[in-house]
Amino acid sequence: MASVAFLGLGVMGYPMAGHLKNKGGHDVTVYNRTRAKAEQWVTKHGGSLAATPAQAAEGKDFVFSCVGNDDDLRSVTTGPEGAFKAMKKGSVFIDNTTASAEVARELAEAARSSGFSFLDAPVSGGQAGAENGVLTVMVGGDQAAFDSARPIIDAYARMVGLMGPVGAGQLTKMINQITIAGLVQGLAEGIHFGKKAGLDIEKVIEVISKGAAGSWQMENRHKTMNAGKYDFGFAVDWMRKDLGICLAEADRNGASLPVTALVDQFYKDVQAMGGKRWDTSSLLARLEK
């Protein structure tokens, strides 16, 4: 059993922290910006509640975070009451936020200078993956820190991989989001085309999903897309945030992402339609408006 803190109890962090407590059997202290959410978590799972990130991190072997963006991450780490002020030497900070590779490197240097380790460890699998404890975790950092943290991370993960030095986890997550954006747009166009052609979409998917066109998105989203229901996963607002990170990194490294840039604009259209909290498969709604 390890002494663990978890900062950020959103739709992902709440169940992830629960798996650390219940499946992992660890001693977990939680912090959330909205205190009521942390109180709810402690009532459900046990463990302890902290008033600040620093209080949560004090004396812990491992500290996890899963917050909204780079600024939120800086706030809970190096902010006035941030966790980095209380991290003990030899401990490990594991960040599950989807953020920039730049902020990962910045925080890793701050951690190193204070005698503890930092891993950027964004996740894929959405809310369902978090709730079921089957997330994919893409990690950047030192081998020794990864080896010590992996048994703890396993409580909420199906796949955990060390992708390279600090920042490599975030870069891998960018590839994940780039790939998903293209897949969902292709699926949306295919379903849209099939409807216009008068085909039975269920019959079409039953056949093509067993061939080269098959994908997780097709298997798990075609029914709800065909029914015009878009409340089953990762929100458009968050996808636009992630694609913005991808496009900014591409500007830095010289990568060409024409399809990603185009799909990002399509998601902007979905936001304008009132779909900010719809899931990413709502690209079909844009085609059908």
Side-chain angles (χ1 to χ4, degrees):
M1 181 180 75
S3 179
V4 174
F6 203 103
L7 316 176
L9 300 175
V11 295
M12 301 292 287
Y14 192 100
M16 291 163 69
H19 289 303
L20 289 169
K21 178 71 170 64
N22 301 319
K23 184 179 175 182
H26 303 298
D27 177 17
V28 180
T29 297
V30 296
Y31 164 80
N32 193 63
R33 186 165 50 189
T34 304
R35 184 181 175 90
K37 195 70 173 290
E39 291 173 343
Q40 179 186 20
W41 189 94
V42 170
T43 298
K44 181 177 181 179
H45 297 291
S48 305
L49 179 154
T52 67
Q55 186 184 101
E58 188 171 3
K60 300 299 190 295
D61 302 314
F62 300 93
V63 179
F64 291 79
S65 62
C66 190
V67 293
N69 55 38
D70 286 17
D71 289 340
D72 295 331
L73 182 55
R74 288 188 179 98
S75 177
V76 300
T77 53
T78 57
E81 297 179 305
F84 280 20
K85 288 181 167 42
M87 297 280 293
K88 68 179 184 180
K89 292 187 184 303
S91 61
V92 183
F93 191 99
I94 304 104
D95 177 43
N96 297 128
T97 308
T98 296
S100 69
E102 285 185 307
V103 76
R105 298 183 188 111
E106 169 192 321
L107 295 179
E109 178 56 29
R112 186 199 61 76
S113 66
S114 296
F116 60 93
S117 299
F118 179 92
L119 298 174
D120 56 299
V123 301
S124 180
Q127 184 176 348
E131 290 173 350
N132 294 321
V134 292
L135 292 169
T136 294
V137 189
M138 299 149 267
V139 185
D142 295 336
Q143 185 72 54
F146 174 77
D147 289 343
S148 67
R150 178 165 185 174
I152 316 301
I153 296 172
D154 279 343
Y156 57 76
R158 174 169 56 191
M159 174 64 190
V160 186
L162 180 62
M163 312 312 299
V166 168
Q170 295 296 351
L171 292 170
T172 302
K173 179 60 184 289
M174 292 176 208
I175 296 170
N176 187 80
Q177 302 305 75
I178 289 165
T179 305
I180 288 173
L183 283 171
V184 177
Q185 179 64 23
L187 179 59
E189 291 185 14
I191 292 174
H192 176 64
F193 179 90
K195 286 183 172 183
K196 289 293 187 180
L199 297 176
D200 184 322
I201 298 301
E202 286 300 319
K203 288 183 177 179
V204 169
I205 298 297
E206 182 180 3
V207 172
I208 70 171
S209 65
K210 305 304 184 290
S215 68
W216 186 96
Q217 297 292 336
M218 183 177 288
E219 286 288 336
N220 291 275
R221 290 288 177 263
H222 81 273
K223 288 183 181 292
T224 51
M225 290 172 75
N226 192 35
K229 298 177 180 178
Y230 305 112
D231 189 26
F232 297 91
F234 193 61
V236 167
D237 275 354
W238 292 113
M239 187 57 152
R240 284 215 73 208
K241 184 265 289 187
D242 290 1
L243 294 182
I245 292 171
C246 297
L247 294 167
E249 183 65 30
D251 283 343
R252 283 188 287 271
N253 69 21
S256 178
L257 302 179
V259 173
T260 303
L262 185 60
V263 176
D264 179 57
Q265 292 305 300
F266 293 161
Y267 278 125
K268 183 178 180 180
D269 293 344
V270 174
Q271 288 176 320
M273 293 168 57
K276 293 182 178 182
R277 305 305 298 175
W278 295 349
D279 71 63
T280 53
S281 69
S282 58
L283 286 171
L284 178 59
R286 177 190 171 276
L287 296 172
E288 294 184 332
K289 68 177 180 179

